[in-house]
Amino acid sequence: MFEKFFATMVGSLLLGIGVNGFFIPNHLIDGGILGIALIIYYFFKFQTGLSMIVLSLPICILALLKEKAYFLSSIQGLLVSSLFIDLLAPLRDEFSVSSLTGALVGGIIIGIGVGLMLRHKTSTGGTDLLAKLISRRFSINLALTIIFIDGLIVLAGFTVLDVHHFLYSCLAIVTVGIITSLIEGY
């Protein structure tokens, strides 16, 4: 139980650092619920973490119906990661890196955070939880499932991104997916 809590805290902290330190300053998006929350942030300046909570509720209800134990871990991860994302918003002004560096470093940091959480049977809820359910149900590699779902979200983000930021966002989600897979152990 302590390991799961520790993984949730560290994973959420890494997610907050990756999003605020590298993705938002470079106008990049991730996939999944976080990607949708970033699109909403770029359009309306709504808090990213709070948007994640609201957007994740339907998926959490699905998880509650399918896998109650995983739901309980995921709701904790969702709330803690959303809190860290909003609390670490001041990091947006701390780093000045290129879009390439932002996509790679941010992708690695976020991938480590998400992978750590998934390895300890918790997640940020959202599409990570959906990907985990799909991966388990259809015996599909988790990284490929995350990349596919995240790719769809990034395509939707094309409405707020120019080609430059769109391509770097694609690089970021592939990086997140690969690192997540390596950390989780698949």
Side-chain angles (χ1 to χ4, degrees):
M1 187 166 149
F2 176 75
E3 285 182 28
K4 186 179 283 195
F5 176 74
F6 184 74
T8 300
M9 296 302 288
V10 172
S12 296
L13 176 65
L14 291 172
L15 195 63
I17 292 168
V19 167
N20 290 300
F22 299 95
F23 278 22
I24 290 178
N26 288 292
H27 206 75
L28 303 174
I29 63 171
D30 193 7
I33 295 297
L34 175 57
I36 296 169
L38 287 169
I39 292 169
I40 291 170
Y41 171 78
Y42 295 139
F43 267 124
F44 304 108
K45 299 297 184 205
F46 291 155
Q47 288 180 291
T48 309
L50 183 59
S51 294
M52 283 177 56
I53 292 171
V54 171
L55 294 167
S56 292
L57 288 177
I59 297 171
C60 287
I61 292 169
L62 175 66
L64 178 62
L65 298 173
K66 298 288 183 187
E67 255 185 83
K68 289 182 184 177
Y70 201 67
F71 162 78
L72 294 173
S73 296
S74 296
I75 197 73
Q76 176 189 22
L78 170 64
L79 295 174
V80 173
S81 63
S82 297
L83 177 67
F84 272 109
I85 287 171
D86 285 346
L87 285 177
L88 294 175
L91 288 179
R92 295 173 186 169
D93 300 322
E94 293 301 315
F95 304 106
S96 180
V97 298
S98 69
S99 294
L100 175 61
T101 302
L104 291 173
V105 174
I108 290 169
I109 292 170
I110 291 169
I112 291 170
V114 171
L116 181 65
M117 292 172 76
L118 289 174
R119 183 180 198 137
H120 291 278
K121 307 291 188 249
T122 186
S123 77
T124 60
T127 58
D128 293 335
L129 177 56
L130 182 61
K132 184 78 168 182
L133 293 171
I134 291 170
S135 174
R136 188 174 290 163
R137 171 77 172 103
F138 297 105
S139 298
I140 301 171
N141 181 279
L142 180 63
L144 293 177
T145 307
I146 290 172
I147 290 170
F148 178 75
I149 293 171
D150 290 353
L152 292 176
I153 303 302
V154 170
L155 282 175
F158 203 56
T159 58
V160 294
L161 301 175
D162 58 26
V163 173
H164 171 84
H165 292 104
F166 173 78
L167 293 174
Y168 284 117
S169 293
C170 290
L171 175 63
I173 66 158
V174 170
T175 303
V176 170
I178 290 169
I179 298 299
T180 297
S181 181
L182 291 173
I183 298 297
E184 190 195 16
Y186 277 99

mmCIF file of all heavy atoms in Angstrom, residues 19 22-30 34-48 92 157 159-161 165 169:
data_model
loop_
_atom_site.group_PDB
_atom_site.id
_atom_site.type_symbol
_atom_site.label_atom_id
_atom_site.label_comp_id
_atom_site.label_asym_id
_atom_site.label_seq_id
_atom_site.Cartn_x
_atom_site.Cartn_y
_atom_site.Cartn_z
ATOM 1 N N VAL A 19 4.452 18.466 -17.654
ATOM 2 C CA VAL A 19 3.410 19.294 -18.282
ATOM 3 C C VAL A 19 3.755 20.774 -18.177
ATOM 4 O O VAL A 19 3.751 21.505 -19.173
ATOM 5 C CB VAL A 19 2.026 19.013 -17.650
ATOM 6 C CG1 VAL A 19 1.002 20.060 -18.053
ATOM 7 C CG2 VAL A 19 1.547 17.621 -18.024
ATOM 8 N N PHE A 22 7.694 21.706 -19.500
ATOM 9 C CA PHE A 22 8.134 21.439 -20.868
ATOM 10 C C PHE A 22 7.024 21.479 -21.920
ATOM 11 O O PHE A 22 7.266 21.943 -23.031
ATOM 12 C CB PHE A 22 8.856 20.084 -20.918
ATOM 13 C CG PHE A 22 10.072 20.072 -20.040
ATOM 14 C CD1 PHE A 22 10.012 19.581 -18.752
ATOM 15 C CD2 PHE A 22 11.265 20.616 -20.497
ATOM 16 C CE1 PHE A 22 11.130 19.605 -17.927
ATOM 17 C CE2 PHE A 22 12.387 20.643 -19.684
ATOM 18 C CZ PHE A 22 12.320 20.126 -18.396
ATOM 19 N N PHE A 23 5.834 20.996 -21.611
ATOM 20 C CA PHE A 23 4.782 20.961 -22.630
ATOM 21 C C PHE A 23 4.116 22.326 -22.809
ATOM 22 O O PHE A 23 4.072 22.863 -23.914
ATOM 23 C CB PHE A 23 3.737 19.898 -22.290
ATOM 24 C CG PHE A 23 4.126 18.501 -22.703
ATOM 25 C CD1 PHE A 23 5.445 18.126 -22.912
ATOM 26 C CD2 PHE A 23 3.154 17.544 -22.889
ATOM 27 C CE1 PHE A 23 5.786 16.832 -23.285
ATOM 28 C CE2 PHE A 23 3.481 16.250 -23.268
ATOM 29 C CZ PHE A 23 4.801 15.896 -23.461
ATOM 30 N N ILE A 24 3.586 22.888 -21.743
ATOM 31 C CA ILE A 24 2.849 24.153 -21.868
ATOM 32 C C ILE A 24 3.730 25.295 -22.382
ATOM 33 O O ILE A 24 3.307 26.033 -23.282
ATOM 34 C CB ILE A 24 2.121 24.509 -20.556
ATOM 35 C CG1 ILE A 24 0.961 23.523 -20.350
ATOM 36 C CG2 ILE A 24 1.612 25.950 -20.567
ATOM 37 C CD1 ILE A 24 0.168 23.692 -19.070
ATOM 38 N N PRO A 25 4.962 25.467 -21.878
ATOM 39 C CA PRO A 25 5.776 26.576 -22.403
ATOM 40 C C PRO A 25 6.079 26.454 -23.903
ATOM 41 O O PRO A 25 6.305 27.466 -24.564
ATOM 42 C CB PRO A 25 7.075 26.487 -21.595
ATOM 43 C CG PRO A 25 6.737 25.720 -20.377
ATOM 44 C CD PRO A 25 5.638 24.779 -20.775
ATOM 45 N N ASN A 26 6.063 25.233 -24.420
ATOM 46 C CA ASN A 26 6.340 25.018 -25.843
ATOM 47 C C ASN A 26 5.071 24.791 -26.658
ATOM 48 O O ASN A 26 5.146 24.400 -27.821
ATOM 49 C CB ASN A 26 7.302 23.836 -26.003
ATOM 50 C CG ASN A 26 8.686 24.202 -25.545
ATOM 51 O OD1 ASN A 26 9.345 25.023 -26.169
ATOM 52 N ND2 ASN A 26 9.115 23.624 -24.435
ATOM 53 N N HIS A 27 3.923 25.037 -26.029
ATOM 54 C CA HIS A 27 2.622 24.897 -26.690
ATOM 55 C C HIS A 27 2.461 23.505 -27.306
ATOM 56 O O HIS A 27 2.055 23.356 -28.469
ATOM 57 C CB HIS A 27 2.438 25.993 -27.749
ATOM 58 C CG HIS A 27 1.013 26.312 -28.020
ATOM 59 N ND1 HIS A 27 0.249 27.040 -27.155
ATOM 60 C CD2 HIS A 27 0.202 25.986 -29.045
ATOM 61 C CE1 HIS A 27 -0.963 27.159 -27.661
ATOM 62 N NE2 HIS A 27 -1.023 26.531 -28.806
ATOM 63 N N LEU A 28 2.808 22.477 -26.522
ATOM 64 C CA LEU A 28 2.682 21.091 -26.938
ATOM 65 C C LEU A 28 1.501 20.464 -26.227
ATOM 66 O O LEU A 28 1.107 20.916 -25.154
ATOM 67 C CB LEU A 28 3.955 20.308 -26.594
ATOM 68 C CG LEU A 28 5.260 20.839 -27.168
ATOM 69 C CD1 LEU A 28 6.436 20.055 -26.612
ATOM 70 C CD2 LEU A 28 5.236 20.772 -28.687
ATOM 71 N N ILE A 29 0.964 19.422 -26.820
ATOM 72 C CA ILE A 29 -0.075 18.670 -26.128
ATOM 73 C C ILE A 29 0.361 17.214 -26.028
ATOM 74 O O ILE A 29 1.209 16.742 -26.779
ATOM 75 C CB ILE A 29 -1.455 18.777 -26.809
ATOM 76 C CG1 ILE A 29 -1.447 18.192 -28.217
ATOM 77 C CG2 ILE A 29 -1.953 20.206 -26.816
ATOM 78 C CD1 ILE A 29 -2.822 18.077 -28.825
ATOM 79 N N ASP A 30 -0.216 16.564 -25.081
ATOM 80 C CA ASP A 30 -0.055 15.131 -24.900
ATOM 81 C C ASP A 30 -1.337 14.518 -25.436
ATOM 82 O O ASP A 30 -2.221 15.221 -25.904
ATOM 83 C CB ASP A 30 0.140 14.828 -23.403
ATOM 84 C CG ASP A 30 0.617 13.411 -23.141
ATOM 85 O OD1 ASP A 30 0.922 12.685 -24.106
ATOM 86 O OD2 ASP A 30 0.688 13.031 -21.963
ATOM 87 N N LEU A 34 -5.321 14.350 -20.574
ATOM 88 C CA LEU A 34 -4.389 15.467 -20.399
ATOM 89 C C LEU A 34 -4.312 16.300 -21.670
ATOM 90 O O LEU A 34 -4.320 17.530 -21.613
ATOM 91 C CB LEU A 34 -3.001 14.959 -20.003
ATOM 92 C CG LEU A 34 -1.905 16.014 -19.904
ATOM 93 C CD1 LEU A 34 -2.276 17.118 -18.923
ATOM 94 C CD2 LEU A 34 -0.587 15.363 -19.526
ATOM 95 N N GLY A 35 -4.255 15.652 -22.824
ATOM 96 C CA GLY A 35 -4.219 16.372 -24.094
ATOM 97 C C GLY A 35 -5.452 17.220 -24.308
ATOM 98 O O GLY A 35 -5.364 18.380 -24.735
ATOM 99 N N ILE A 36 -6.610 16.649 -23.981
ATOM 100 C CA ILE A 36 -7.854 17.411 -24.112
ATOM 101 C C ILE A 36 -7.842 18.590 -23.130
ATOM 102 O O ILE A 36 -8.230 19.702 -23.481
ATOM 103 C CB ILE A 36 -9.081 16.507 -23.884
ATOM 104 C CG1 ILE A 36 -9.153 15.425 -24.966
ATOM 105 C CG2 ILE A 36 -10.372 17.329 -23.877
ATOM 106 C CD1 ILE A 36 -10.174 14.336 -24.693
ATOM 107 N N ALA A 37 -7.360 18.347 -21.912
ATOM 108 C CA ALA A 37 -7.279 19.419 -20.917
ATOM 109 C C ALA A 37 -6.316 20.516 -21.380
ATOM 110 O O ALA A 37 -6.567 21.703 -21.142
ATOM 111 C CB ALA A 37 -6.847 18.847 -19.559
ATOM 112 N N LEU A 38 -5.223 20.126 -22.047
ATOM 113 C CA LEU A 38 -4.291 21.136 -22.571
ATOM 114 C C LEU A 38 -4.922 21.938 -23.704
ATOM 115 O O LEU A 38 -4.724 23.150 -23.794
ATOM 116 C CB LEU A 38 -2.993 20.470 -23.031
ATOM 117 C CG LEU A 38 -2.075 19.988 -21.906
ATOM 118 C CD1 LEU A 38 -0.953 19.117 -22.462
ATOM 119 C CD2 LEU A 38 -1.523 21.154 -21.108
ATOM 120 N N ILE A 39 -5.672 21.273 -24.568
ATOM 121 C CA ILE A 39 -6.386 21.989 -25.636
ATOM 122 C C ILE A 39 -7.334 23.008 -25.015
ATOM 123 O O ILE A 39 -7.402 24.166 -25.447
ATOM 124 C CB ILE A 39 -7.145 21.004 -26.555
ATOM 125 C CG1 ILE A 39 -6.150 20.158 -27.357
ATOM 126 C CG2 ILE A 39 -8.099 21.758 -27.487
ATOM 127 C CD1 ILE A 39 -6.784 18.986 -28.093
ATOM 128 N N ILE A 40 -8.074 22.601 -23.986
ATOM 129 C CA ILE A 40 -8.989 23.510 -23.294
ATOM 130 C C ILE A 40 -8.200 24.667 -22.668
ATOM 131 O O ILE A 40 -8.624 25.823 -22.734
ATOM 132 C CB ILE A 40 -9.817 22.745 -22.233
ATOM 133 C CG1 ILE A 40 -10.800 21.798 -22.939
ATOM 134 C CG2 ILE A 40 -10.547 23.697 -21.294
ATOM 135 C CD1 ILE A 40 -11.496 20.813 -22.015
ATOM 136 N N TYR A 41 -7.034 24.357 -22.101
ATOM 137 C CA TYR A 41 -6.197 25.418 -21.519
ATOM 138 C C TYR A 41 -5.775 26.416 -22.599
ATOM 139 O O TYR A 41 -5.852 27.631 -22.391
ATOM 140 C CB TYR A 41 -4.958 24.813 -20.834
ATOM 141 C CG TYR A 41 -3.982 25.875 -20.410
ATOM 142 C CD1 TYR A 41 -4.213 26.630 -19.262
ATOM 143 C CD2 TYR A 41 -2.857 26.170 -21.169
ATOM 144 C CE1 TYR A 41 -3.334 27.634 -18.873
ATOM 145 C CE2 TYR A 41 -1.974 27.162 -20.791
ATOM 146 C CZ TYR A 41 -2.221 27.897 -19.649
ATOM 147 O OH TYR A 41 -1.359 28.904 -19.279
ATOM 148 N N TYR A 42 -5.326 25.933 -23.751
ATOM 149 C CA TYR A 42 -4.868 26.835 -24.804
ATOM 150 C C TYR A 42 -6.009 27.699 -25.346
ATOM 151 O O TYR A 42 -5.803 28.849 -25.707
ATOM 152 C CB TYR A 42 -4.198 26.056 -25.943
ATOM 153 C CG TYR A 42 -2.917 25.360 -25.525
ATOM 154 C CD1 TYR A 42 -2.629 24.078 -25.983
ATOM 155 C CD2 TYR A 42 -2.003 25.960 -24.668
ATOM 156 C CE1 TYR A 42 -1.458 23.429 -25.610
ATOM 157 C CE2 TYR A 42 -0.832 25.315 -24.285
ATOM 158 C CZ TYR A 42 -0.567 24.060 -24.758
ATOM 159 O OH TYR A 42 0.577 23.413 -24.378
ATOM 160 N N PHE A 43 -7.212 27.145 -25.400
ATOM 161 C CA PHE A 43 -8.360 27.912 -25.883
ATOM 162 C C PHE A 43 -8.903 28.881 -24.831
ATOM 163 O O PHE A 43 -9.179 30.040 -25.119
ATOM 164 C CB PHE A 43 -9.508 26.982 -26.297
ATOM 165 C CG PHE A 43 -9.513 26.604 -27.745
ATOM 166 C CD1 PHE A 43 -9.505 25.262 -28.113
ATOM 167 C CD2 PHE A 43 -9.536 27.550 -28.757
ATOM 168 C CE1 PHE A 43 -9.508 24.888 -29.437
ATOM 169 C CE2 PHE A 43 -9.543 27.189 -30.091
ATOM 170 C CZ PHE A 43 -9.534 25.850 -30.434
ATOM 171 N N PHE A 44 -9.105 28.367 -23.599
ATOM 172 C CA PHE A 44 -9.861 29.122 -22.601
ATOM 173 C C PHE A 44 -9.097 29.468 -21.327
ATOM 174 O O PHE A 44 -9.643 30.135 -20.451
ATOM 175 C CB PHE A 44 -11.111 28.324 -22.191
ATOM 176 C CG PHE A 44 -11.988 27.944 -23.347
ATOM 177 C CD1 PHE A 44 -12.055 26.621 -23.772
ATOM 178 C CD2 PHE A 44 -12.742 28.897 -24.016
ATOM 179 C CE1 PHE A 44 -12.861 26.259 -24.828
ATOM 180 C CE2 PHE A 44 -13.554 28.549 -25.076
ATOM 181 C CZ PHE A 44 -13.614 27.222 -25.490
ATOM 182 N N LYS A 45 -7.867 28.974 -21.183
ATOM 183 C CA LYS A 45 -7.041 29.193 -19.985
ATOM 184 C C LYS A 45 -7.653 28.589 -18.721
ATOM 185 O O LYS A 45 -7.394 29.060 -17.610
ATOM 186 C CB LYS A 45 -6.753 30.685 -19.763
ATOM 187 C CG LYS A 45 -5.988 31.336 -20.890
ATOM 188 C CD LYS A 45 -4.627 30.740 -21.049
ATOM 189 C CE LYS A 45 -3.851 31.473 -22.133
ATOM 190 N NZ LYS A 45 -2.830 30.672 -22.742
ATOM 191 N N PHE A 46 -8.489 27.537 -18.867
ATOM 192 C CA PHE A 46 -8.993 26.819 -17.692
ATOM 193 C C PHE A 46 -7.862 26.019 -17.073
ATOM 194 O O PHE A 46 -6.954 25.573 -17.771
ATOM 195 C CB PHE A 46 -10.120 25.852 -18.071
ATOM 196 C CG PHE A 46 -11.411 26.504 -18.491
ATOM 197 C CD1 PHE A 46 -12.289 25.829 -19.304
ATOM 198 C CD2 PHE A 46 -11.759 27.779 -18.073
ATOM 199 C CE1 PHE A 46 -13.477 26.405 -19.708
ATOM 200 C CE2 PHE A 46 -12.941 28.364 -18.471
ATOM 201 C CZ PHE A 46 -13.804 27.675 -19.285
ATOM 202 N N GLN A 47 -7.930 25.798 -15.767
ATOM 203 C CA GLN A 47 -6.924 25.017 -15.067
ATOM 204 C C GLN A 47 -6.854 23.606 -15.659
ATOM 205 O O GLN A 47 -7.867 22.931 -15.794
ATOM 206 C CB GLN A 47 -7.248 24.909 -13.590
ATOM 207 C CG GLN A 47 -7.050 26.183 -12.815
ATOM 208 C CD GLN A 47 -7.398 25.964 -11.364
ATOM 209 O OE1 GLN A 47 -8.565 25.764 -11.046
ATOM 210 N NE2 GLN A 47 -6.395 25.991 -10.507
ATOM 211 N N THR A 48 -5.656 23.183 -15.997
ATOM 212 C CA THR A 48 -5.451 21.895 -16.648
ATOM 213 C C THR A 48 -5.857 20.733 -15.743
ATOM 214 O O THR A 48 -6.551 19.814 -16.175
ATOM 215 C CB THR A 48 -3.984 21.750 -17.093
ATOM 216 O OG1 THR A 48 -3.612 22.911 -17.829
ATOM 217 C CG2 THR A 48 -3.783 20.518 -17.946
ATOM 218 N N ARG A 92 5.888 26.941 -15.456
ATOM 219 C CA ARG A 92 5.726 27.315 -16.864
ATOM 220 C C ARG A 92 6.684 28.419 -17.279
ATOM 221 O O ARG A 92 6.999 28.551 -18.452
ATOM 222 C CB ARG A 92 4.275 27.738 -17.126
ATOM 223 C CG ARG A 92 3.308 26.605 -16.942
ATOM 224 C CD ARG A 92 1.873 27.042 -17.025
ATOM 225 N NE ARG A 92 1.027 25.894 -16.696
ATOM 226 C CZ ARG A 92 -0.269 25.972 -16.468
ATOM 227 N NH1 ARG A 92 -0.885 27.130 -16.557
ATOM 228 N NH2 ARG A 92 -0.950 24.890 -16.165
ATOM 229 N N GLY A 157 -6.120 18.062 -31.561
ATOM 230 C CA GLY A 157 -5.409 19.275 -31.168
ATOM 231 C C GLY A 157 -4.881 20.083 -32.333
ATOM 232 O O GLY A 157 -4.429 21.215 -32.154
ATOM 233 N N THR A 159 -6.390 21.666 -34.231
ATOM 234 C CA THR A 159 -7.168 22.906 -34.314
ATOM 235 C C THR A 159 -6.496 24.060 -33.578
ATOM 236 O O THR A 159 -6.771 25.217 -33.870
ATOM 237 C CB THR A 159 -8.584 22.708 -33.735
ATOM 238 O OG1 THR A 159 -8.465 22.273 -32.369
ATOM 239 C CG2 THR A 159 -9.373 21.681 -34.531
ATOM 240 N N VAL A 160 -5.615 23.738 -32.595
ATOM 241 C CA VAL A 160 -4.938 24.801 -31.841
ATOM 242 C C VAL A 160 -3.437 24.826 -32.088
ATOM 243 O O VAL A 160 -2.745 25.703 -31.573
ATOM 244 C CB VAL A 160 -5.185 24.694 -30.320
ATOM 245 C CG1 VAL A 160 -6.634 24.934 -29.994
ATOM 246 C CG2 VAL A 160 -4.693 23.390 -29.759
ATOM 247 N N LEU A 161 -2.934 23.889 -32.862
ATOM 248 C CA LEU A 161 -1.499 23.787 -33.093
ATOM 249 C C LEU A 161 -1.147 24.080 -34.539
ATOM 250 O O LEU A 161 -1.881 23.682 -35.447
ATOM 251 C CB LEU A 161 -1.006 22.366 -32.765
ATOM 252 C CG LEU A 161 -1.233 21.842 -31.360
ATOM 253 C CD1 LEU A 161 -0.793 20.384 -31.267
ATOM 254 C CD2 LEU A 161 -0.483 22.681 -30.348
ATOM 255 N N HIS A 165 4.274 22.685 -33.986
ATOM 256 C CA HIS A 165 3.884 22.183 -32.669
ATOM 257 C C HIS A 165 3.153 20.851 -32.770
ATOM 258 O O HIS A 165 3.258 20.014 -31.872
ATOM 259 C CB HIS A 165 3.040 23.215 -31.934
ATOM 260 C CG HIS A 165 3.828 24.428 -31.560
ATOM 261 N ND1 HIS A 165 3.715 25.620 -32.232
ATOM 262 C CD2 HIS A 165 4.766 24.613 -30.609
ATOM 263 C CE1 HIS A 165 4.541 26.494 -31.698
ATOM 264 N NE2 HIS A 165 5.201 25.905 -30.717
ATOM 265 N N SER A 169 4.393 17.566 -30.875
ATOM 266 C CA SER A 169 3.442 16.885 -29.991
ATOM 267 C C SER A 169 3.365 15.398 -30.331
ATOM 268 O O SER A 169 3.268 14.556 -29.431
ATOM 269 C CB SER A 169 2.054 17.526 -30.094
ATOM 270 O OG SER A 169 2.069 18.837 -29.565
#
